[in-house]
Amino acid sequence: MRGMLARVRVRSLIVVCTLLVAGAAQAQDEPQPLTTEQVQAAMKAADAQKDQSTLPEAPLEAPPAPPRHKGFVLEQGLGAMGFAGKFGSLTNHPAVWLQTQFGYEIFRVLMVFVSGDIAFTDTGSSVGPSQNRAFPLLSFGGGLRLTIPFTNRVGMYLQGAAGGDVAYVQSGALVNFGYAKAESLGFQVGGRVGFEWFQVDRHIALGLSGGARYMTNLAYTVGSDLPLAWDATIDLRYTF
């Protein structure tokens, strides 16, 4: 009987010791509460890294393709044409002027071209209403353009051209005003200067230009005269 009691006591002691050891191990595994210093240090570290991102940076945007300078060029201009000399006194106001030019850039700085333009004008207020005659002035020609680039997208150009012109009017209408040659094909020569601004679309450019020309058939029939004309336009260019 005493032996059985002794064995029960030993087993109970073993169970108690096992529970005490397990409780101590569990207590060691539980995290210790953070101190005030540890919390402040963690907050400072988070503030120092708040601007840093773990996401990959976006790739840099590719720059736009450079303008296409060399190739076939179609250019359209819209502006005004005025006249000097006695013909300017007859019309007495600038004409609406349209020009179309088609060329090929042999080099980036040199282009050969042909052109055609039309100016809408009339005999103005220098005559009575019954004598006023509206008419278009047709011109054509060809020439060379020299381009001077300032940057990859901005530049200026100088060009010279020669050709012919004629006033498309009822026969004899300008003869009565002393400009008989204006109704026949005449010779003209001139030049112009312009500025170009190439757009993000590598085929398109905008421009401003102005020029002057000598038009032989617009000279007054009697006496001396200086038949000059000037023009100023806004241009739209497309390079194929």
Side-chain angles (χ1 to χ4, degrees):
M1 186 67 177
R2 292 180 178 177
M4 292 178 62
L5 291 175
R7 287 195 296 269
V8 171
R9 290 176 180 174
V10 171
R11 291 178 180 175
S12 299
L13 183 60
I14 292 174
V15 171
V16 172
C17 293
T18 301
L19 293 175
L20 291 175
V21 171
Q26 184 176 3
Q28 291 178 357
D29 292 338
E30 292 180 357
Q32 297 296 324
L34 297 177
T35 63
T36 303
E37 291 77 7
Q38 291 174 327
V39 172
Q40 292 177 351
M43 293 175 63
K44 291 181 180 180
D47 290 338
Q49 298 179 356
K50 65 180 181 180
D51 295 332
Q52 298 180 2
S53 175
T54 58
L55 297 177
E57 294 184 359
L60 296 177
E61 184 179 355
R68 182 172 181 175
H69 291 278
K70 188 177 178 181
F72 287 99
V73 176
L74 179 63
E75 188 173 89
Q76 181 66 56
L78 171 63
M81 171 180 276
F83 304 95
K86 295 181 179 180
F87 193 80
S89 299
L90 175 67
T91 60
N92 204 29
H93 60 79
V96 177
W97 188 59
L98 300 172
Q99 182 187 54
T100 301
Q101 188 166 282
F102 184 75
Y104 179 75
E105 290 176 315
I106 305 173
F107 307 105
R108 179 180 176 182
V109 298
L110 182 63
M111 181 175 72
V112 59
F113 66 88
V114 294
S115 65
D117 58 79
I118 181 170
F120 298 94
T121 187
D122 54 56
T123 53
S125 59
S126 59
V127 298
S130 62
Q131 294 179 304
N132 189 15
R133 296 290 184 271
F135 60 92
L137 187 63
L138 307 176
S139 303
F140 63 90
L144 295 174
R145 172 183 291 187
L146 177 64
T147 301
I148 306 172
F150 297 145
T151 68
N152 197 33
R153 295 190 177 276
V154 179
M156 68 173 293
Y157 63 83
L158 302 171
Q159 74 177 37
D165 67 275
V166 61
Y168 189 75
V169 65
Q170 183 179 358
S171 178
L174 295 178
V175 174
N176 298 330
F177 299 108
Y179 300 94
K181 296 181 180 180
E183 299 179 13
S184 303
L185 184 64
F187 175 75
Q188 67 172 359
V189 61
R192 64 190 306 101
V193 59
F195 295 89
E196 292 180 315
W197 174 33
F198 290 89
Q199 305 301 296
V200 175
D201 186 323
R202 60 196 301 260
H203 297 276
I204 296 177
L206 301 177
L208 295 172
S209 63
R213 64 181 74 180
Y214 180 79
M215 309 175 74
T216 58
N217 60 335
L218 296 188
Y220 195 65
T221 305
V222 180
S224 61
D225 192 11
L226 186 61
L228 293 178
W230 58 265
D231 59 74
T233 64
I234 299 174
D235 307 310
L236 175 63
R237 162 183 170 145
Y238 188 89
T239 305
F240 294 89

